[in-house]
Amino acid sequence: MKEDQRPLQQRNKSPTSKLFTRSAAYVILVLLSYTLGYLSHTSPPQQQQLQPPSPVFQLADSPSQLDNFRVTAPCANSPLPPHLVFPTILDRVFNGSSPYSNFPPPYLSSFLKQRRIKGWGSYGAVFKHLIKRVKPQVIIEVGTFLGASALHMVNVTRELRLQTQILCLDDFRGWPGFRDRFKDIKMINGDVLLFQQFMQNVIYFNATGSVLPVPFSTASGLEKLCEWGITADLIEIDAGHDFISAWGDINRAYRILRPGGVIFGHDYFTKADNRGVRRAVNLFAQMNNLKIQTDGQHWVLDTSLAKHN
């Protein structure tokens, strides 16, 4: 047998020492890899850092971004004169006849109260303040329910001896669960009788010559009014109170507001704060260089006071 010629120190190394050397090298390699990975994760390249979103007020400097917030449904080339507003609604919505004619039909009489009025903020001083200042020929109310605000505005215009036409835009369906609070509003075959009770209220207050319902959703109704060339001097927004609903209503209503007119609404000071109506009003005013005024619980945007850059 050939004699082992390796040096004595190499011959004396055991398998255990070899294993220990390899294990130590592996552990060191793992630690180095982890350290390098941690450092590279905590210190990303400068160009990969996310930039915060642009503040809302910077949108005014970017027309392409601003256009994403606008309503672009087509409108008539010229507005109708005020004296044609009611005839146009009667023709296009009610086939040329008054919805109040022979109302209520016999089968409904027992389901309706002679009068049933309920509203929120419907008698605030803001109505008289604005009507006295604007002297509107046409008022559009967006969100009517049982007509409390509209009928109050009828009384104010009569007191001021104004010939004012009021359009009440509402689908007259209420909201899910509203009959838990209004159990006296009857329902027939799933059809809640809000629209019929509204009309009964108008008849009771002898306001059929001043008030016409437009029984559609606020979005579709406002777009049709714009398409038909119907505009108003004064518009009240008091329908949906969430941000999306209020934002859509304000934008669409603004398109049918006569130059120098006023748009206003309720619920500016609520628990929702910037999650609801107030957020929509603030954003709209900011984007259109309008000054927000308040009157009680109501917000007011007077286009005659628009800020010019």
Side-chain angles (χ1 to χ4, degrees):
M1 176 181 291
K2 187 176 180 180
E3 185 178 357
D4 189 351
Q5 301 296 322
R6 292 178 299 170
L8 181 61
Q9 291 179 347
Q10 292 183 9
R11 292 198 305 267
N12 290 341
K13 285 184 178 180
S14 66
T16 303
S17 65
K18 292 180 181 179
L19 178 62
F20 176 77
T21 301
R22 291 174 183 172
S23 298
Y26 177 76
V27 170
I28 292 171
L29 180 61
V30 169
L31 289 175
L32 284 173
S33 300
Y34 176 81
T35 301
L36 291 173
Y38 176 79
L39 291 174
S40 64
H41 177 74
T42 56
S43 301
Q46 185 67 27
Q47 63 271 21
Q48 293 183 2
Q49 291 182 353
L50 296 176
Q51 299 299 321
S54 301
V56 169
F57 61 82
Q58 291 182 358
L59 291 174
D61 297 326
S62 178
S64 61
Q65 287 183 308
L66 191 61
D67 287 342
N68 294 329
F69 290 85
R70 299 192 185 282
V71 177
T72 58
C75 290
N77 293 328
S78 59
L80 286 176
H83 71 276
L84 292 181
V85 168
F86 267 29
T88 299
I89 294 297
L90 291 174
D91 180 57
R92 291 183 175 270
V93 179
F94 299 107
N95 294 324
S97 62
S98 171
Y100 303 112
S101 297
N102 301 316
F103 186 88
Y107 79 94
L108 274 181
S109 298
S110 62
F111 293 96
L112 302 176
K113 293 182 177 295
Q114 189 176 22
R115 55 171 287 182
R116 175 63 165 98
I117 303 294
K118 172 61 181 175
W120 296 265
S122 300
Y123 304 99
V126 65
F127 293 98
K128 188 169 185 178
H129 293 164
L130 293 178
I131 291 173
K132 188 173 182 179
R133 189 168 88 206
V134 177
K135 296 179 175 55
Q137 292 181 283
V138 178
I139 297 174
I140 295 176
E141 180 180 60
V142 181
T144 294
F145 198 51
L146 289 167
S149 298
L151 293 169
H152 174 61
M153 288 191 283
V154 168
N155 289 333
V156 172
T157 58
R158 287 173 176 173
E159 179 185 335
L160 297 174
R161 299 181 181 278
L162 299 174
Q163 299 296 318
T164 304
Q165 303 169 94
I166 302 174
L167 297 180
C168 294
L169 176 59
D170 198 307
D171 62 6
F172 295 98
R173 301 296 303 166
W175 58 90
F178 92 94
R179 290 190 71 251
D180 294 340
R181 298 174 57 186
F182 297 91
K183 297 183 185 300
D184 59 320
I185 304 296
K186 304 302 182 181
M187 179 181 288
I188 300 178
N189 298 114
D191 182 21
V192 64
L193 301 183
L194 268 177
F195 180 49
Q196 294 82 353
Q197 186 60 62
F198 162 81
M199 290 203 298
Q200 176 60 40
N201 292 338
V202 174
I203 291 171
Y204 178 86
F205 284 97
N206 193 29
T208 58
S210 302
V211 176
L212 263 184
V214 184
F216 302 108
S217 70
T218 59
S220 62
L222 286 168
E223 290 190 359
K224 276 300 177 184
L225 293 179
C226 198
E227 181 182 319
W228 296 338
I230 293 175
T231 59
D233 311 289
L234 184 63
I235 301 179
E236 181 197 8
I237 306 293
D238 194 14
H241 297 155
D242 61 285
F243 169 76
I244 296 298
S245 297
W247 173 255
D249 290 343
I250 294 169
N251 275 270
R252 291 182 175 93
Y254 187 68
R255 302 182 77 206
I256 60 173
L257 185 68
R258 287 184 179 273
V262 174
I263 185 169
F264 73 110
H266 194 225
D267 298 290
Y268 190 71
F269 300 104
T270 66
K271 293 180 180 179
D273 290 331
N274 287 330
R275 300 189 304 277
V277 173
R278 190 191 306 180
R279 178 185 170 202
V281 173
N282 290 351
L283 178 59
F284 183 82
Q286 193 172 41
M287 289 174 59
N288 291 278
N289 295 317
L290 295 171
K291 179 181 179 182
I292 301 171
Q293 298 173 310
T294 57
D295 191 331
Q297 287 288 320
H298 287 76
W299 53 270
V300 178
L301 297 177
D302 187 343
T303 62
S304 68
L305 302 177
K307 297 177 289 185
H308 300 286
N309 295 330

